[in-house]
mmCIF file of all heavy atoms in Angstrom:
data_model
loop_
_atom_site.group_PDB
_atom_site.id
_atom_site.type_symbol
_atom_site.label_atom_id
_atom_site.label_comp_id
_atom_site.label_asym_id
_atom_site.label_seq_id
_atom_site.Cartn_x
_atom_site.Cartn_y
_atom_site.Cartn_z
ATOM 1 N N THR M 960 33.878 95.979 -54.710
ATOM 2 C CA THR M 960 32.845 95.009 -54.341
ATOM 3 C C THR M 960 32.972 93.771 -55.218
ATOM 4 O O THR M 960 33.445 93.848 -56.341
ATOM 5 C CB THR M 960 31.427 95.595 -54.522
ATOM 6 O OG1 THR M 960 31.226 95.917 -55.900
ATOM 7 C CG2 THR M 960 31.222 96.823 -53.667
ATOM 8 N N LYS M 961 32.542 92.631 -54.645
ATOM 9 C CA LYS M 961 32.525 91.366 -55.385
ATOM 10 C C LYS M 961 31.240 90.627 -55.025
ATOM 11 O O LYS M 961 31.271 89.557 -54.462
ATOM 12 C CB LYS M 961 33.735 90.512 -55.018
ATOM 13 C CG LYS M 961 35.048 91.119 -55.428
ATOM 14 C CD LYS M 961 36.210 90.238 -55.022
ATOM 15 C CE LYS M 961 37.515 90.906 -55.401
ATOM 16 N NZ LYS M 961 38.668 90.150 -54.966
ATOM 17 N N LEU M 962 30.114 91.231 -55.355
ATOM 18 C CA LEU M 962 28.825 90.645 -55.020
ATOM 19 C C LEU M 962 28.127 90.135 -56.266
ATOM 20 O O LEU M 962 28.082 90.834 -57.274
ATOM 21 C CB LEU M 962 27.925 91.699 -54.356
ATOM 22 C CG LEU M 962 28.404 92.262 -53.030
ATOM 23 C CD1 LEU M 962 27.544 93.446 -52.636
ATOM 24 C CD2 LEU M 962 28.348 91.187 -51.970
ATOM 25 N N SER M 963 27.552 88.953 -56.182
ATOM 26 C CA SER M 963 26.794 88.438 -57.327
ATOM 27 C C SER M 963 25.537 89.268 -57.545
ATOM 28 O O SER M 963 24.956 89.248 -58.627
ATOM 29 C CB SER M 963 26.428 86.976 -57.101
ATOM 30 O OG SER M 963 25.508 86.855 -56.037
ATOM 31 N N THR M 964 25.112 90.010 -56.538
ATOM 32 C CA THR M 964 23.907 90.830 -56.639
ATOM 33 C C THR M 964 24.183 92.225 -57.189
ATOM 34 O O THR M 964 23.264 93.010 -57.378
ATOM 35 C CB THR M 964 23.239 90.960 -55.258
ATOM 36 O OG1 THR M 964 24.195 91.467 -54.331
ATOM 37 C CG2 THR M 964 22.712 89.622 -54.784
ATOM 38 N N GLY M 965 25.435 92.549 -57.457
ATOM 39 C CA GLY M 965 25.771 93.835 -58.043
ATOM 40 C C GLY M 965 25.761 94.965 -57.039
ATOM 41 O O GLY M 965 25.545 94.765 -55.846
ATOM 42 N N ALA M 966 26.002 96.174 -57.520
ATOM 43 C CA ALA M 966 26.052 97.356 -56.657
ATOM 44 C C ALA M 966 25.685 98.590 -57.466
ATOM 45 O O ALA M 966 25.881 98.635 -58.678
ATOM 46 C CB ALA M 966 27.445 97.506 -56.064
ATOM 47 N N ASP M 967 25.186 99.588 -56.769
ATOM 48 C CA ASP M 967 24.772 100.832 -57.411
ATOM 49 C C ASP M 967 24.735 101.935 -56.354
ATOM 50 O O ASP M 967 24.878 101.668 -55.162
ATOM 51 C CB ASP M 967 23.392 100.645 -58.046
ATOM 52 C CG ASP M 967 23.092 101.665 -59.133
ATOM 53 O OD1 ASP M 967 23.975 102.477 -59.466
ATOM 54 O OD2 ASP M 967 21.977 101.638 -59.658
ATOM 55 N N LEU M 968 24.517 103.168 -56.772
ATOM 56 C CA LEU M 968 24.319 104.321 -55.897
ATOM 57 C C LEU M 968 25.412 104.452 -54.827
ATOM 58 O O LEU M 968 25.159 104.347 -53.638
ATOM 59 C CB LEU M 968 22.938 104.270 -55.242
ATOM 60 C CG LEU M 968 21.755 104.236 -56.198
ATOM 61 C CD1 LEU M 968 20.460 104.036 -55.428
ATOM 62 C CD2 LEU M 968 21.692 105.478 -57.044
ATOM 63 N N VAL M 969 26.620 104.721 -55.234
ATOM 64 C CA VAL M 969 27.774 104.801 -54.344
ATOM 65 C C VAL M 969 27.810 106.138 -53.610
ATOM 66 O O VAL M 969 27.607 107.185 -54.206
ATOM 67 C CB VAL M 969 29.087 104.642 -55.146
ATOM 68 C CG1 VAL M 969 30.288 104.709 -54.237
ATOM 69 C CG2 VAL M 969 29.063 103.358 -55.929
ATOM 70 N N LYS M 970 28.098 106.090 -52.298
ATOM 71 C CA LYS M 970 28.280 107.287 -51.474
ATOM 72 C C LYS M 970 29.480 107.079 -50.565
ATOM 73 O O LYS M 970 29.661 106.005 -49.996
ATOM 74 C CB LYS M 970 27.051 107.560 -50.591
ATOM 75 C CG LYS M 970 25.781 107.797 -51.351
ATOM 76 C CD LYS M 970 25.793 109.134 -52.035
ATOM 77 C CE LYS M 970 24.470 109.360 -52.754
ATOM 78 N NZ LYS M 970 24.525 110.351 -53.762
ATOM 79 N N TRP M 971 30.316 108.100 -50.429
ATOM 80 C CA TRP M 971 31.470 108.058 -49.520
ATOM 81 C C TRP M 971 31.035 108.473 -48.111
ATOM 82 O O TRP M 971 30.165 109.319 -47.950
ATOM 83 C CB TRP M 971 32.551 109.030 -49.978
ATOM 84 C CG TRP M 971 33.305 108.604 -51.180
ATOM 85 C CD1 TRP M 971 33.049 108.961 -52.470
ATOM 86 C CD2 TRP M 971 34.454 107.762 -51.222
ATOM 87 N NE1 TRP M 971 33.964 108.385 -53.312
ATOM 88 C CE2 TRP M 971 34.847 107.645 -52.562
ATOM 89 C CE3 TRP M 971 35.191 107.093 -50.247
ATOM 90 C CZ2 TRP M 971 35.939 106.892 -52.963
ATOM 91 C CZ3 TRP M 971 36.285 106.340 -50.643
ATOM 92 C CH2 TRP M 971 36.644 106.239 -51.983
ATOM 93 N N SER M 972 31.702 107.925 -47.094
ATOM 94 C CA SER M 972 31.510 108.422 -45.731
ATOM 95 C C SER M 972 32.198 109.782 -45.639
ATOM 96 O O SER M 972 33.106 110.073 -46.435
ATOM 97 C CB SER M 972 32.102 107.443 -44.714
ATOM 98 O OG SER M 972 33.505 107.353 -44.862
ATOM 99 N N PRO M 973 31.812 110.634 -44.698
ATOM 100 C CA PRO M 973 32.417 111.964 -44.593
ATOM 101 C C PRO M 973 33.940 111.961 -44.446
ATOM 102 O O PRO M 973 34.621 112.864 -44.935
ATOM 103 C CB PRO M 973 31.752 112.569 -43.360
ATOM 104 C CG PRO M 973 30.429 111.873 -43.275
ATOM 105 C CD PRO M 973 30.701 110.469 -43.760
ATOM 106 N N ASP M 974 34.496 110.918 -43.790
ATOM 107 C CA ASP M 974 35.953 110.869 -43.630
ATOM 108 C C ASP M 974 36.659 110.157 -44.783
ATOM 109 O O ASP M 974 37.881 110.092 -44.821
ATOM 110 C CB ASP M 974 36.331 110.210 -42.303
ATOM 111 C CG ASP M 974 35.892 108.750 -42.205
ATOM 112 O OD1 ASP M 974 35.361 108.189 -43.197
ATOM 113 O OD2 ASP M 974 36.086 108.159 -41.127
ATOM 114 N N GLY M 975 35.898 109.614 -45.746
ATOM 115 C CA GLY M 975 36.476 108.957 -46.911
ATOM 116 C C GLY M 975 37.034 107.572 -46.653
ATOM 117 O O GLY M 975 37.652 106.978 -47.534
ATOM 118 N N LYS M 976 36.777 107.001 -45.483
ATOM 119 C CA LYS M 976 37.321 105.684 -45.154
ATOM 120 C C LYS M 976 36.395 104.543 -45.550
ATOM 121 O O LYS M 976 36.822 103.398 -45.627
ATOM 122 C CB LYS M 976 37.621 105.594 -43.654
ATOM 123 C CG LYS M 976 38.749 106.509 -43.231
ATOM 124 C CD LYS M 976 39.034 106.372 -41.764
ATOM 125 C CE LYS M 976 40.173 107.300 -41.360
ATOM 126 N NZ LYS M 976 40.459 107.182 -39.926
ATOM 127 N N MET M 977 35.114 104.850 -45.786
ATOM 128 C CA MET M 977 34.144 103.811 -46.129
ATOM 129 C C MET M 977 33.252 104.300 -47.270
ATOM 130 O O MET M 977 33.177 105.495 -47.529
ATOM 131 C CB MET M 977 33.269 103.476 -44.921
ATOM 132 C CG MET M 977 34.024 102.861 -43.774
ATOM 133 S SD MET M 977 32.924 102.386 -42.417
ATOM 134 C CE MET M 977 32.537 103.975 -41.709
ATOM 135 N N ILE M 978 32.609 103.332 -47.925
ATOM 136 C CA ILE M 978 31.598 103.666 -48.925
ATOM 137 C C ILE M 978 30.312 102.932 -48.567
ATOM 138 O O ILE M 978 30.341 101.899 -47.905
ATOM 139 C CB ILE M 978 32.020 103.294 -50.362
ATOM 140 C CG1 ILE M 978 32.286 101.785 -50.485
ATOM 141 C CG2 ILE M 978 33.205 104.116 -50.822
ATOM 142 C CD1 ILE M 978 32.351 101.291 -51.902
ATOM 143 N N ALA M 979 29.219 103.488 -49.017
ATOM 144 C CA ALA M 979 27.922 102.821 -48.913
ATOM 145 C C ALA M 979 27.405 102.649 -50.333
ATOM 146 O O ALA M 979 27.729 103.450 -51.215
ATOM 147 C CB ALA M 979 26.957 103.661 -48.083
ATOM 148 N N PHE M 980 26.640 101.604 -50.574
ATOM 149 C CA PHE M 980 26.070 101.364 -51.892
ATOM 150 C C PHE M 980 24.819 100.526 -51.736
ATOM 151 O O PHE M 980 24.586 99.935 -50.683
ATOM 152 C CB PHE M 980 27.068 100.674 -52.825
ATOM 153 C CG PHE M 980 27.548 99.352 -52.315
ATOM 154 C CD1 PHE M 980 26.864 98.181 -52.627
ATOM 155 C CD2 PHE M 980 28.686 99.270 -51.529
ATOM 156 C CE1 PHE M 980 27.303 96.950 -52.155
ATOM 157 C CE2 PHE M 980 29.132 98.043 -51.054
ATOM 158 C CZ PHE M 980 28.433 96.886 -51.367
ATOM 159 N N THR M 981 24.017 100.495 -52.771
ATOM 160 C CA THR M 981 22.841 99.633 -52.761
ATOM 161 C C THR M 981 23.132 98.383 -53.582
ATOM 162 O O THR M 981 24.008 98.384 -54.438
ATOM 163 C CB THR M 981 21.611 100.351 -53.362
ATOM 164 O OG1 THR M 981 21.895 100.693 -54.714
ATOM 165 C CG2 THR M 981 21.262 101.592 -52.565
ATOM 166 N N SER M 982 22.403 97.327 -53.277
ATOM 167 C CA SER M 982 22.529 96.087 -54.029
ATOM 168 C C SER M 982 21.163 95.420 -54.053
ATOM 169 O O SER M 982 20.529 95.282 -53.003
ATOM 170 C CB SER M 982 23.561 95.170 -53.374
ATOM 171 O OG SER M 982 23.723 93.985 -54.121
ATOM 172 N N GLY M 983 20.709 95.053 -55.232
ATOM 173 C CA GLY M 983 19.406 94.403 -55.360
ATOM 174 C C GLY M 983 19.483 92.958 -54.901
ATOM 175 O O GLY M 983 20.249 92.170 -55.441
ATOM 176 N N VAL M 984 18.708 92.627 -53.890
ATOM 177 C CA VAL M 984 18.713 91.272 -53.346
ATOM 178 C C VAL M 984 17.294 90.723 -53.291
ATOM 179 O O VAL M 984 16.325 91.478 -53.281
ATOM 180 C CB VAL M 984 19.341 91.218 -51.935
ATOM 181 C CG1 VAL M 984 20.790 91.657 -51.972
ATOM 182 C CG2 VAL M 984 18.548 92.066 -50.952
ATOM 183 N N TYR M 985 17.182 89.408 -53.242
ATOM 184 C CA TYR M 985 15.900 88.774 -53.006
ATOM 185 C C TYR M 985 15.683 88.794 -51.497
ATOM 186 O O TYR M 985 16.494 88.233 -50.751
ATOM 187 C CB TYR M 985 15.902 87.334 -53.515
ATOM 188 C CG TYR M 985 16.135 87.213 -55.000
ATOM 189 C CD1 TYR M 985 17.373 86.841 -55.504
ATOM 190 C CD2 TYR M 985 15.110 87.485 -55.897
ATOM 191 C CE1 TYR M 985 17.587 86.737 -56.867
ATOM 192 C CE2 TYR M 985 15.307 87.384 -57.260
ATOM 193 C CZ TYR M 985 16.560 87.006 -57.739
ATOM 194 O OH TYR M 985 16.757 86.905 -59.080
ATOM 195 N N PRO M 986 14.622 89.418 -51.009
ATOM 196 C CA PRO M 986 14.431 89.552 -49.559
ATOM 197 C C PRO M 986 14.397 88.220 -48.808
ATOM 198 O O PRO M 986 14.828 88.149 -47.664
ATOM 199 C CB PRO M 986 13.078 90.265 -49.438
ATOM 200 C CG PRO M 986 12.869 90.932 -50.744
ATOM 201 C CD PRO M 986 13.569 90.086 -51.765
ATOM 202 N N GLU M 987 13.912 87.179 -49.462
ATOM 203 C CA GLU M 987 13.814 85.885 -48.783
ATOM 204 C C GLU M 987 15.145 85.141 -48.707
ATOM 205 O O GLU M 987 15.272 84.152 -47.983
ATOM 206 C CB GLU M 987 12.753 85.005 -49.461
ATOM 207 C CG GLU M 987 13.117 84.531 -50.854
ATOM 208 C CD GLU M 987 12.782 85.520 -51.985
ATOM 209 O OE1 GLU M 987 12.463 86.677 -51.714
ATOM 210 O OE2 GLU M 987 12.876 85.103 -53.151
ATOM 211 N N CYS M 988 16.159 85.565 -49.427
ATOM 212 C CA CYS M 988 17.469 84.905 -49.426
ATOM 213 C C CYS M 988 18.375 85.602 -48.416
ATOM 214 O O CYS M 988 18.593 86.800 -48.504
ATOM 215 C CB CYS M 988 18.094 84.954 -50.813
ATOM 216 S SG CYS M 988 17.104 84.133 -52.080
ATOM 217 N N LYS M 989 18.901 84.840 -47.488
ATOM 218 C CA LYS M 989 19.636 85.436 -46.368
ATOM 219 C C LYS M 989 21.150 85.544 -46.555
ATOM 220 O O LYS M 989 21.815 86.181 -45.767
ATOM 221 C CB LYS M 989 19.349 84.659 -45.081
ATOM 222 C CG LYS M 989 17.880 84.616 -44.718
ATOM 223 C CD LYS M 989 17.329 86.005 -44.483
ATOM 224 C CE LYS M 989 15.863 85.945 -44.105
ATOM 225 N NZ LYS M 989 15.180 87.198 -44.243
ATOM 226 N N ASP M 990 21.719 84.909 -47.573
ATOM 227 C CA ASP M 990 23.162 85.054 -47.772
ATOM 228 C C ASP M 990 23.518 85.045 -49.266
ATOM 229 O O ASP M 990 22.677 84.747 -50.115
ATOM 230 C CB ASP M 990 23.962 83.996 -46.998
ATOM 231 C CG ASP M 990 23.718 82.578 -47.477
ATOM 232 O OD1 ASP M 990 23.590 82.355 -48.698
ATOM 233 O OD2 ASP M 990 23.667 81.669 -46.630
ATOM 234 N N GLU M 991 24.749 85.373 -49.555
ATOM 235 C CA GLU M 991 25.246 85.511 -50.929
ATOM 236 C C GLU M 991 25.092 84.223 -51.734
ATOM 237 O O GLU M 991 24.712 84.242 -52.894
ATOM 238 C CB GLU M 991 26.723 85.938 -50.879
ATOM 239 C CG GLU M 991 27.421 85.976 -52.206
ATOM 240 C CD GLU M 991 27.100 87.216 -53.030
ATOM 241 O OE1 GLU M 991 26.433 88.117 -52.522
ATOM 242 O OE2 GLU M 991 27.516 87.262 -54.196
ATOM 243 N N ARG M 992 25.383 83.088 -51.111
ATOM 244 C CA ARG M 992 25.308 81.802 -51.812
ATOM 245 C C ARG M 992 23.886 81.510 -52.277
ATOM 246 O O ARG M 992 23.658 81.074 -53.410
ATOM 247 C CB ARG M 992 25.815 80.693 -50.882
ATOM 248 C CG ARG M 992 25.852 79.319 -51.495
ATOM 249 C CD ARG M 992 26.305 78.255 -50.491
ATOM 250 N NE ARG M 992 25.564 78.264 -49.250
ATOM 251 C CZ ARG M 992 24.325 77.763 -49.085
ATOM 252 N NH1 ARG M 992 23.711 77.192 -50.097
ATOM 253 N NH2 ARG M 992 23.727 77.806 -47.914
ATOM 254 N N VAL M 993 22.895 81.778 -51.431
ATOM 255 C CA VAL M 993 21.501 81.527 -51.786
ATOM 256 C C VAL M 993 21.046 82.515 -52.868
ATOM 257 O O VAL M 993 20.316 82.145 -53.793
ATOM 258 C CB VAL M 993 20.595 81.620 -50.531
ATOM 259 C CG1 VAL M 993 19.136 81.416 -50.882
ATOM 260 C CG2 VAL M 993 21.037 80.597 -49.489
ATOM 261 N N GLN M 994 21.492 83.769 -52.771
ATOM 262 C CA GLN M 994 21.187 84.763 -53.798
ATOM 263 C C GLN M 994 21.682 84.278 -55.167
ATOM 264 O O GLN M 994 20.970 84.327 -56.160
ATOM 265 C CB GLN M 994 21.864 86.106 -53.481
ATOM 266 C CG GLN M 994 21.407 86.788 -52.237
ATOM 267 C CD GLN M 994 20.121 87.566 -52.431
ATOM 268 O OE1 GLN M 994 19.727 87.909 -53.535
ATOM 269 N NE2 GLN M 994 19.448 87.841 -51.336
ATOM 270 N N GLN M 995 22.935 83.834 -55.181
ATOM 271 C CA GLN M 995 23.557 83.385 -56.426
ATOM 272 C C GLN M 995 22.839 82.156 -56.984
ATOM 273 O O GLN M 995 22.602 82.064 -58.192
ATOM 274 C CB GLN M 995 25.026 83.087 -56.182
ATOM 275 C CG GLN M 995 25.835 82.984 -57.431
ATOM 276 C CD GLN M 995 27.321 82.999 -57.143
ATOM 277 O OE1 GLN M 995 27.771 82.956 -56.003
ATOM 278 N NE2 GLN M 995 28.112 83.058 -58.188
#
């Protein structure tokens, strides 16, 4: 990942092809640039 909002709580998909994670964001900001 390369997010200015960071990442946490990693989980693999059952087939191991994808991951899911959480990222703390400001709800009112709609894209990465505004978050940053």
